[in-house]
Amino acid sequence: RKEVEQDPGPFNVPEGATVAFNCTYSNSASQSFFWYRQDCRKEPKLLMSVYSSGNEDGRFTAQLNRASQYISLLIRDSKLSDSATYLCVVFSGGYNKLIFGAGTRLAVHP
Amino acid sequence: NAGVTQTPKFQVLKTGQSMTLQCAQDMNHEYMSWYRQDPGMGLRLIHYSVGAGITDQGEVPNGYNVSRSTTEDFPLRLLSAAPSQTSVYFCASSPAQVGFDGYTFGSGTRLTVV
């Protein structure tokens, strides 16, 4: 079983739609959680951290469920520019414990 | 600031050749790392460094060497290239030992080994 698992998608949604991604992790001792965005053939860039209480940044909302060991990302009012791959990243302590999911691809169409 | 600079952007090697992927950062970050990204897989850690003179292995270190003689530079050496090393390589840096909010990636090197 992979340490961090994501649905690869693609999620094809129209502009203005709301879309949600989930990510599950296997290490219950994981400490920090992040969502990164990666555009085609580009480097990953931090989208947002995921806090225990949940957090929101504009149209993006991240949630953490420690009991079920998953994190989620909700995107409201999708824009064409949201089309990208979203990487779930889990930090379990130690420099070699930053684990990346394979990513979920989102395609927003007009 | 330039951030994290990787060179070259593209490279084709023949099996058995050696080469060095360059990575430099101008943010005075202590922590630097090398990842490889393959289709359908998450980024996998090759080697990392927590400061000048200190390096350690990640998840997939075989076939690669690193050194960290300065804070700014963290080159990755392929000793004898193999087709299995065909991948996209990313260098990343962070200012802190914990908390990866400041994790900055270079633009990547696309390597093909034939």
Side-chain angles (χ1 to χ4, degrees):
Chain A
R1 180 188 173 189
K2 293 181 180 178
E3 291 191 62
V4 177
E5 295 204 63
Q6 297 182 249
D7 181 340
F11 285 63
N12 293 298
V13 302
E15 276 187 289
T18 295
V19 61
F21 311 135
N22 280 344
C23 163
T24 58
Y25 60 94
S26 61
N27 186 349
S28 60
S30 297
Q31 301 172 8
S32 306
F33 309 87
F34 308 91
W35 284 103
Y36 275 71
R37 170 191 169 130
Q38 186 172 25
D39 293 300
C40 187
R41 305 177 80 83
K42 299 284 189 181
E43 71 273 24
K45 292 184 179 179
L46 179 66
L47 178 65
M48 60 195 305
S49 303
V50 186
Y51 303 125
S52 296
S53 56
N55 49 300
E56 186 175 309
D57 183 3
R59 298 182 292 108
F60 299 84
T61 301
Q63 296 280 352
L64 167 63
N65 185 318
R66 286 192 181 273
S68 300
Q69 294 183 208
Y70 77 84
I71 67 173
S72 64
L73 178 67
L74 179 77
I75 305 175
R76 292 181 299 278
D77 189 22
S78 297
K79 312 291 185 190
L80 295 175
S81 57
D82 293 334
S83 297
T85 297
Y86 292 84
L87 308 178
C88 171
V89 183
V90 175
F91 177 58
S92 300
Y95 302 106
N96 58 342
K97 293 297 184 184
L98 190 65
I99 308 298
F100 285 77
T104 297
R105 192 155 65 89
L106 171 66
V108 182
H109 57 83
Chain B
N1 286 342
V4 179
T5 302
Q6 285 185 241
T7 56
K9 292 191 181 300
F10 303 93
Q11 183 70 50
V12 178
L13 289 178
K14 293 183 178 179
T15 298
Q17 286 184 315
S18 62
M19 79 160 295
T20 299
L21 279 61
Q22 302 292 343
C23 176
Q25 53 93 6
D26 60 0
M27 299 172 284
N28 202 32
H29 286 176
E30 289 296 320
Y31 178 70
M32 297 186 73
S33 58
W34 277 100
Y35 286 87
R36 60 178 288 173
Q37 186 174 34
D38 301 295
M41 304 185 72
L43 277 78
R44 291 181 293 168
L45 183 65
I46 305 171
H47 285 285
Y48 64 94
S49 169
V50 301
I54 307 170
T55 63
D56 208 343
Q57 297 181 350
E59 179 186 356
V60 288
N62 292 340
Y64 308 94
N65 273 357
V66 292
S67 60
R68 185 92 180 272
S69 57
T70 66
T71 300
E72 293 78 20
D73 299 300
F74 191 44
L76 178 72
R77 282 183 289 277
L78 279 70
L79 308 174
S80 177
S84 60
Q85 294 179 304
T86 293
S87 188
V88 180
Y89 292 84
F90 289 103
C91 178
S93 72
S94 170
Q97 293 185 356
V98 294
F100 286 79
D101 293 66
Y103 216 52
T104 303
F105 283 88
S107 59
T109 296
R110 294 185 175 275
L111 176 68
T112 302
V113 182
V114 298

